[in-house]
Structures are given as structure tokens and as C-alpha cells.
Amino acid sequence: MMPDESLRAASLRVTRPRVALLDAVQTHPHADTETLISAVRATLPDVSHQAVYDSLHALTAAGLLRRIQPSGLTGRYETRVGDNHHHVVCRSCGAIEDVDCAVGETPCLTAEQSHGFTIDEAEVVYWGICPACSSSASSTEGSP
């Protein structure tokens, strides 16, 4: 679905910053706010930080974006929403990739006890070293 169609479907006003932001998040999945501001400014040079922050808030509240924040990292945004997928994070460079739910249902992990909560999502973050950092580390191990 095109960004303007997504905005209308969510009953949001179609604005240039919102369209540019949706495009930026689609192009840069799991990007932080500063990266997204730079990407939006590539197409809208005069957009303010506040306009991007306001758009991030509105798009996240409307369910068009998902905000994730793995431990120790700044908040990141993605357009993949509503499917309860998880993430793998590189301990070295902070790269983030999507990991599909092992079972494929929401939630894919069932809590032993809900304590009265109506549970609708389970969050799992896998941590490790990405291929680029692994090959970089192994190539420097043999260096004097």
C-alpha cells in the first residue's frame, strides 16, 4: 500500500512529512530517529525535528509504525506491524534484523501465568554477532 493510502486508511491527514517518514522507515528498517530525520531531510530539506517527532508519534499511535528499543540502544522504528515478529541484534555493531515467530501465532509464547493480564504480544530479542562483525573479528585475529 502506498504511504498516502496507508495514512488515509488510518484516518490520518496526508502530509508531506508523514509520507516522507513512511518512505524513510520503509527504506531504512530499524533506523533510529536521527537516521530518519536525515532521510526525511533528503527529500524535505526544511522539515523540522519536531515535525518528524510528531509524525513518528502519530504514525506509531495509529499502528502504521512499530517502535522497538532493545536494551542499551535508542528507539528504532519499522513498518512491519501487527505480526508479533521478533528481532536479532548484533552485540558489536547494533545491526537489527527481523526474526519470524517460531509458532506464527500471536502471541507465539504462552506465559505460564498471566496474573490477570490479557496478553496480546510476546517480545523476544535474540542477541549475537552479525556476519559482518564475525568476519571482521576473525580477519583481525590473524593480524599481528
Side-chain angles (χ1 to χ4, degrees):
M1 188 179 302
M2 298 299 292
D4 55 339
E5 295 169 349
S6 298
L7 291 165
R8 285 187 190 97
S11 300
L12 292 175
R13 230 177 58 233
V14 177
T15 65
R16 291 176 54 209
R18 287 177 180 172
V19 170
L21 184 58
L22 281 173
D23 284 338
V25 176
Q26 186 69 40
T27 304
H28 307 283
H30 309 119
D32 62 13
T33 306
E34 291 305 313
T35 301
L36 294 172
I37 289 170
S38 295
V40 169
R41 284 190 169 163
T43 55
L44 298 174
D46 296 331
V47 73
S48 69
H49 276 71
Q50 192 61 49
V52 174
Y53 284 115
D54 291 346
S55 294
L56 284 169
H57 179 73
L59 297 173
T60 302
L64 296 177
L65 294 181
R66 178 179 178 198
R67 183 180 189 276
I68 63 167
Q69 188 166 0
S71 180
L73 299 176
T74 60
R76 309 295 177 97
Y77 294 87
E78 63 183 352
T79 56
R80 186 174 170 186
V81 297
D83 68 349
N84 197 44
H85 68 280
H86 307 299
H87 298 94
V88 61
V89 181
C90 179
R91 290 183 189 281
S92 182
C93 70
I96 301 173
E97 295 293 336
D98 292 335
V99 176
D100 288 326
C101 191
V103 174
E105 299 174 14
T106 302
C108 64
L109 300 175
T110 304
E112 186 173 316
Q113 184 174 0
S114 69
H115 298 282
F117 285 70
T118 301
I119 298 172
D120 61 7
E121 182 177 2
E123 182 176 305
V124 175
V125 177
Y126 300 95
W127 292 87
I129 303 296
C130 73
C133 290
S134 290
S135 64
S136 173
S138 58
S139 68
T140 57
E141 286 174 2
S143 300

